[in-house]
Amino acid sequence: MEGVRETAPKTDRCGGCAIRGVAICTSLTEGDRHALRAMGQPRHYGAGDTIFGEDERFGFLANVVSGVVKLSKTLPDGRQQIIGVEFAGDFLGRIYRDRTSFRAEAVTPVHLCCYPRARFEALVAATRGLEERLFRDALDELDSAREWMVLLGRQSAREKVARFLQMIARRNAGGCGPALGARFELPLSRADMADFLGLTVETVSRQMTRLKTEGLIRISNNRIIEVEDVGDLEAAAGGWAA
Amino acid sequence: MEGVRETAPKTDRCGGCAIRGVAICTSLTEGDRHALRAMGQPRHYGAGDTIFGEDERFGFLANVVSGVVKLSKTLPDGRQQIIGVEFAGDFLGRIYRDRTSFRAEAVTPVHLCCYPRARFEALVAATRGLEERLFRDALDELDSAREWMVLLGRQSAREKVARFLQMIARRNAGGCGPALGARFELPLSRADMADFLGLTVETVSRQMTRLKTEGLIRISNNRIIEVEDVGDLEAAAGGWAA
DNA sequence: GGCGCGGGTTGATCGAGATCAAGGCGATAT
DNA sequence: ATATCGCCTTGATCTCGATCAACCCGCGCC
């Protein structure tokens, strides 16, 4: 699990909580930033802990400071689909909704910086530009949800796995310019990958070894992935630049 | 195509454009409503017309006044996935983004009430509560996108078709309380249903006749559907209340 | 040491849905 | 009437991914 922390984007302090550059902090004036800093409360979860369940009250909003969180929905009969994965800097919870509609679970040890809902919403109401900031983030989430719909509905198992790896590689690349290759630690188990991609564990495993034997990736310790050429991976993913 | 118009929710006038109750108009003061009304420009599209393509500039935002619009994304090799369907009253386009990330196409004849982007954004900036209104709509879209991800990733063909019918039935029910049965006209062709559900035309057709022979639905004219008991359909959809 | 356990891989088989192919039906045109 | 076209259905067959089953490996535990 160490590798995940290592490859996380650089952080800067924000009232005891480290917030990545893209987090909501950055678009604020110094005064507002101070107000946000003042209300942030650190919380910690171990790998596997539930942060919140489906359809329950969630009194906080939070920035993910470190670690990886998976968001999932479950059918009545237990079938599960992961609908999103959040990394350091991502925002968890939504204003205007105090009921959750999906489960959030720590995949690695997770640090959150939590803001009590009432106080946060008051700050949003009082702060010029903060609502827009959150709105834009929601639109980004909407776009990625829709891209994932294309993957789930129309792509093959090989393409799904390749595109998943590509996504992780891109996330980990952070600000650094586009490199030819990449090396990173997978934050998710094969089972979680399967739930994200709408496949079974066995199929994910087979496609991983297939990509390996094809020479597109190298695998050590089951979780450490080296990509030879990101372009090749993109081609295997069905040609997807974004 | 006539039936679609018939079953569309009731409308009220808004500067030459009819807007359903849930549309943005309702949450405004009389003055703001007037401003919105003043900038609305009617536009008309025939069935099959493209309203906007993937990744192009779109200078308007719009309310769907009547008809049905499908939103889709296409893979480089041509595979298509429908990511959403909009009915009368739904809002098309987004503030803070003048580039589209998916295609919008009229499925039936469509009337839009268009607002020029610059003027609309100015109104949003000046109008208390309008941004929140749009934000909430975006969150609803995000929720339904995520529910659809579960369907695409984890449900069988039969469940997919049943849930699609259930969704259409619910949309058409509008304000009227929950009835035992339902009767409506399908707005989409079998091919479009397939693209929405991540299936092929043949599979959709087979599952439709299967639901018919099982006595869950009745089909006339290929497009007119009668549901005996919505509860049964819900059960076939994998148990989904929402 | 031996043991159990969680996570991953691999093989054999099965089956749901894709693919290929043919034909029906209603609407419009000739 | 006949032809054509778009949309839908139905049948035959194939294939990809699911399912069932065995096994490996690393690790903590008794």
Side-chain angles (χ1 to χ4, degrees):
Chain A
M1 295 300 113
E2 272 314 293
V4 172
R5 202 87 48 86
E6 280 170 20
T7 56
K10 305 189 200 77
T11 58
D12 63 321
R13 289 285 131 194
C14 173
C17 297
I19 304 284
R20 191 175 63 168
V22 301
I24 55 174
C25 249
T26 45
S27 48
L28 301 179
T29 66
E30 184 51 43
D32 295 326
R33 196 174 306 185
H34 180 75
L36 193 61
R37 211 181 280 147
M39 75 172 77
Q41 294 165 358
R43 288 194 170 218
H44 180 262
Y45 298 85
D49 288 356
T50 293
I51 298 172
F52 54 78
E54 274 182 76
D55 192 36
E56 63 180 41
R57 273 205 82 252
F58 186 54
F60 295 89
L61 297 101
N63 262 125
V64 178
V65 175
S66 71
V68 179
V69 177
K70 72 175 186 193
L71 314 177
S72 64
K73 289 174 81 77
T74 307
L75 254 7
D77 65 1
R79 282 172 288 177
Q80 191 186 158
Q81 175 70 43
I82 292 181
I83 57 170
V85 180
E86 309 229 300
F87 299 89
D90 290 337
F91 194 76
L92 195 55
R94 22 176 84 167
I95 53 173
Y96 307 136
R97 296 277 164 92
D98 66 345
R99 289 234 141 234
T100 60
S101 62
F102 49 82
R103 232 167 86 78
E105 184 180 323
V107 166
T108 65
V110 165
H111 283 277
L112 297 185
C113 177
C114 292
Y115 314 108
R117 176 171 297 278
R119 291 179 62 192
F120 187 83
E121 292 193 342
L123 181 69
V124 171
T127 305
R128 173 88 201 137
L130 184 47
E131 183 174 35
E132 173 177 339
R133 168 82 224 179
L134 294 169
F135 197 161
R136 283 177 187 273
D137 283 354
L139 289 179
D140 285 342
E141 280 187 88
L142 185 54
D143 278 341
S144 46
R146 283 170 164 169
E147 289 202 357
W148 217 250
M149 286 174 67
V150 180
L151 174 129
L152 289 172
R154 289 293 179 213
Q155 299 203 258
S156 70
R158 195 177 104 105
E159 290 172 323
K160 285 176 173 181
V161 171
R163 198 161 145 197
F164 174 82
L165 295 176
Q166 198 197 357
M167 187 204 80
I168 300 291
R170 190 158 15 94
R171 288 260 193 177
N172 280 54
C176 342
L180 191 68
R183 182 192 154 88
F184 52 88
E185 174 166 355
L186 278 184
L188 300 189
S189 69
R190 300 288 188 271
D192 283 335
M193 286 176 63
D195 281 342
F196 201 10
L197 298 170
L199 299 170
T200 58
V201 209
E202 294 94 328
T203 300
V204 170
S205 181
R206 274 186 250 271
Q207 296 300 331
M208 289 287 284
T209 63
R210 181 171 167 200
L211 291 176
K212 186 177 69 179
T213 57
E214 287 173 346
L216 288 174
I217 60 173
R218 200 177 301 272
I219 306 177
S220 17
N221 253 333
N222 279 338
R223 294 287 190 104
I224 307 290
I225 307 293
E226 283 173 272
V227 181
E228 290 299 314
D229 182 345
V230 178
D232 291 346
L233 201 58
E234 189 182 309
W240 207 267
Chain B
M1 294 300 115
E2 272 314 295
V4 172
R5 202 86 49 87
E6 280 169 18
T7 57
K10 306 187 198 77
T11 58
D12 63 321
R13 290 283 132 197
C14 175
C17 297
I19 304 284
R20 192 175 63 166
V22 301
I24 56 174
C25 250
T26 46
S27 49
L28 300 180
T29 67
E30 185 50 45
D32 294 328
R33 196 176 304 186
H34 180 77
L36 193 60
R37 211 181 279 147
M39 76 172 76
Q41 297 164 358
R43 287 191 170 221
H44 180 262
Y45 298 85
D49 288 356
T50 293
I51 297 171
F52 54 77
E54 274 182 78
D55 193 37
E56 64 181 41
R57 271 205 84 252
F58 186 55
F60 295 89
L61 298 100
N63 261 125
V64 178
V65 174
S66 71
V68 179
V69 178
K70 74 174 187 193
L71 314 177
S72 64
K73 290 175 79 78
T74 307
L75 254 7
D77 65 1
R79 282 172 289 177
Q80 191 186 158
Q81 175 70 43
I82 293 181
I83 57 170
V85 179
E86 309 228 302
F87 299 89
D90 290 336
F91 194 76
L92 195 55
R94 23 175 82 170
I95 53 174
Y96 308 135
R97 296 276 165 91
D98 66 345
R99 288 234 142 232
T100 61
S101 62
F102 49 82
R103 232 168 87 78
E105 185 180 323
V107 165
T108 65
V110 166
H111 284 277
L112 296 185
C113 176
C114 293
Y115 313 109
R117 176 172 297 279
R119 290 179 63 194
F120 187 83
E121 292 194 343
L123 182 68
V124 171
T127 305
R128 171 90 202 138
L130 185 48
E131 182 174 37
E132 173 178 338
R133 167 84 225 177
L134 295 168
F135 197 160
R136 283 177 187 271
D137 284 353
L139 289 179
D140 285 341
E141 280 189 88
L142 184 55
D143 278 340
S144 48
R146 284 171 164 168
E147 289 202 357
W148 217 251
M149 287 174 67
V150 179
L151 175 130
L152 291 171
R154 289 293 178 212
Q155 299 203 257
S156 70
R158 194 177 104 106
E159 290 172 323
K160 285 176 173 180
V161 171
R163 197 161 147 198
F164 175 81
L165 295 176
Q166 198 197 358
M167 187 204 80
I168 300 292
R170 190 156 16 93
R171 288 263 193 177
N172 280 54
C176 342
L180 192 67
R183 183 191 154 89
F184 51 89
E185 175 165 356
L186 278 183
L188 300 189
S189 68
R190 300 287 188 273
D192 282 336
M193 285 177 64
D195 280 342
F196 200 10
L197 298 170
L199 299 171
T200 59
V201 208
E202 295 92 331
T203 300
V204 170
S205 181
R206 274 186 251 270
Q207 296 300 331
M208 289 288 283
T209 63
R210 183 173 165 197
L211 290 176
K212 185 176 69 180
T213 57
E214 287 173 346
L216 287 174
I217 60 173
R218 198 179 301 273
I219 306 177
S220 19
N221 253 331
N222 279 340
R223 294 289 190 105
I224 308 290
I225 308 292
E226 282 173 273
V227 181
E228 290 300 312
D229 181 346
V230 178
D232 292 346
L233 200 58
E234 188 183 310
W240 206 267

